[in-house]
């Protein structure tokens, strides 16, 4: 495994890899969810590049950039064991010049759900992912469905800006009690960790209601809110049922829908989601491969 922090060196090393090249963009502090993306890339591509970069521009000034969990040594060990070909681990100055002023903004999709309380988040994500696509030039890029809105934003960016990259989306990897794997789970105290399965429980409830014929989004939303409110350590940020393509809120679930929620447990904000009908892929078709 070769590791570099420099764009010019990455480009040189990348040019020696045979296509198709898969990119797994990460912010490090790797868990099984990231490693599942790496394995999928390795199955589908001739070479796999992983980026490790805690992207400052996707954090608001009030968010947890400095405290974001980091363990570069462990990340490198895991990637080496996984057999990754190339790791790109730049410093912030390598990705952003002091006078950086170019942004990729996906408009409406990025203002919904997470974007309502984190207005600059997806601009930071889209900008860094676009830069990584230009630097690494992957044929395929791998993202987890846990960040469903991120997937939709990047899918739209790929289409609108004609990136020759195929977006591959992997199922959310969960702990045995249903908690979606996330680097942020490490912030939870033992009591808070016990409370965290409430997100999955409320999504299960939505799926069950849908399986029983429930199509009234407001009723399902209400049942989910009650399930969250029954957990004393949980504070609901939002529960939303939207058209899975446009992220417009819907009243009747008469098409593919995305059920998403954000919940604060103590000081940690967790997100999760499910697609209805259960088992449907989030993206249909995906973005074309060049
Ligand atoms: O999902 C993440 O870890 C980040 O948002 C990403 C895609 C690596 C961009 O910084």
């Amino acid at each position: 495994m070769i590791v570099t922090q420099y764009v010019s060196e990455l480009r040189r090393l990348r040019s020696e890899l045979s296509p198709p090249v898969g990119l797994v963009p990460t912010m490090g502090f790797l868990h099984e969810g990231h490693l599942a993306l790496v394995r999928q890339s390795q199955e589908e591509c001739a070479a796999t590049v992983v980026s490790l970069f805690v992207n400052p521009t996707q954090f608001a000034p009030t968010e947890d950039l400095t405290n974001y969990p980091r363990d570069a040594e462990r990340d490198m060990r895991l990637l080496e064991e996984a057999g990754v070909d190339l790791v790109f681990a730049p410093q912030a100055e390598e990705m952003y010049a002091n006078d950086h002023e170019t942004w990729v903004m996906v408009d409406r999709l990025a203002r919904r759900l997470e974007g309502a309380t984190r207005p600059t988040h997806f601009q930071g994500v889209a900008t860094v992912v676009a830069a990584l696509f230009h630097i690494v030039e992957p044929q395929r890029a791998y993202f987890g469905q846990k960040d469903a809105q991120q997937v939709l934003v990047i899918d739209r960016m790929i289409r609108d800006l004609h990136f020759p990259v195929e977006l591959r989306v992997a199922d959310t990897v969960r702990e045995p009690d249903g908690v979606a794997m996330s680097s942020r789970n490490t912030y939870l105290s033992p009591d808070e960790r016990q409370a965290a399965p409430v997100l999955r429980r409320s999504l299960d409830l939505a799926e069950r209601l849908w399986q029983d014929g429930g199509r009234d989004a407001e009723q399902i939303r209400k049942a989910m809110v009650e399930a969250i409110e029954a957990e004393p350590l949980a504070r609901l940020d939002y529960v939303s049922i939207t058209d899975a393509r446009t992220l417009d809120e819907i009243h009747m679930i008469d098409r593919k829908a995305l059920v998403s929620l954000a919940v604060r447990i103590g000081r940690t904000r967790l997100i999760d989601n499910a697609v209805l009908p259960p088992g449907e892929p989030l993206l249909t078709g995906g973005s074309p491969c060049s």
Side-chain angles (χ1 to χ4, degrees):
M1 183 174 88
I2 305 178
V3 182
T4 178
Q5 45 177 321
Y6 301 110
V7 171
S8 55
E9 195 180 2
L10 185 286
R11 286 203 160 115
R12 188 180 56 73
L13 295 161
R14 158 66 182 90
S15 69
E16 288 161 15
L17 298 176
S18 316
V21 169
L23 169 66
V24 183
T26 82
M27 298 209 298
F29 210 71
L30 302 177
H31 51 66
E32 192 44 44
H34 298 113
L35 298 176
L37 297 176
V38 167
R39 284 194 294 273
Q40 190 179 341
S41 169
Q42 287 171 321
E43 276 161 25
E44 298 178 352
C45 300
T48 294
V49 180
V50 175
S51 62
L52 296 176
F53 179 58
V54 183
N55 173 37
T57 64
Q58 67 190 73
F59 291 79
T62 51
E63 291 177 346
D64 50 359
L65 172 62
T66 41
N67 293 326
Y68 193 82
R70 292 165 170 88
D71 190 341
E73 220 171 282
R74 180 174 163 278
D75 288 346
M76 294 302 173
R77 200 180 61 244
L78 289 172
L79 295 176
E80 176 100 63
E81 282 167 12
V84 163
D85 300 278
L86 188 50
V87 175
F88 180 47
Q91 298 295 311
E93 312 78 70
E94 186 71 3
M95 292 298 284
Y96 296 104
N98 278 340
D99 54 355
H100 174 101
E101 53 178 325
T102 305
W103 300 101
V104 177
M105 207 186 78
V106 177
D107 195 9
R108 201 186 45 81
L109 270 181
R111 281 190 267 118
R112 306 285 153 109
L113 306 176
E114 287 299 286
T117 48
R118 309 177 71 196
T120 56
H121 174 67
F122 288 113
Q123 175 178 303
V125 171
T127 301
V128 82
V129 171
L132 289 168
F133 284 176
H134 283 306
I135 295 166
V136 179
E137 296 186 17
Q139 275 76 37
R140 298 190 181 120
Y142 292 80
F143 293 87
Q145 194 189 301
K146 197 204 123 229
D147 296 304
Q149 188 178 9
Q150 170 168 282
V151 165
L152 294 172
V153 164
I154 291 169
D155 181 55
R156 193 59 61 92
M157 176 190 84
I158 287 175
R159 193 202 67 185
D160 290 351
L161 297 184
H162 304 277
F163 279 98
V165 178
E166 183 186 359
L167 179 53
R168 307 287 288 138
V169 183
D171 287 346
T172 302
V173 179
R174 297 180 181 280
E175 303 282 358
D177 63 1
V179 173
M181 292 212 180
S182 163
S183 307
R184 291 196 162 89
N185 293 349
T186 52
Y187 298 146
L188 298 168
S189 70
D191 281 354
E192 290 167 354
R193 178 61 189 77
Q194 294 258 314
V198 71
L199 280 84
R200 183 61 237 178
R201 271 206 307 279
S202 73
L203 291 168
D204 284 344
L205 177 61
E207 287 186 0
R208 269 203 313 279
L209 290 169
W210 187 92
Q211 304 277 20
D212 292 345
R215 296 292 183 270
D216 182 330
E218 191 46 41
Q219 266 176 19
I220 295 182
R221 217 182 73 86
K222 201 161 155 266
M224 292 177 71
V225 171
E226 278 166 18
I228 301 286
E229 286 176 351
E231 169 49 66
L233 293 187
R235 258 186 315 122
L236 182 65
D237 199 339
Y238 65 79
V239 169
S240 143
I241 303 182
T242 60
D243 178 298
R245 197 178 55 84
T246 62
L247 296 186
D248 290 336
E249 292 290 332
I250 52 178
H251 299 295
M252 284 301 289
I253 310 178
D254 52 3
R255 65 203 96 160
K256 185 157 74 172
L258 180 69
V259 184
S260 340
L261 74 168
V263 175
R264 282 181 200 279
I265 303 204
R267 296 176 60 173
T268 309
R269 188 167 175 282
L270 301 178
I271 59 170
D272 205 343
N273 66 78
V275 173
L276 296 176
E280 278 280 307
L282 177 61
L283 295 179
T284 7
S287 33
C289 191
S290 67

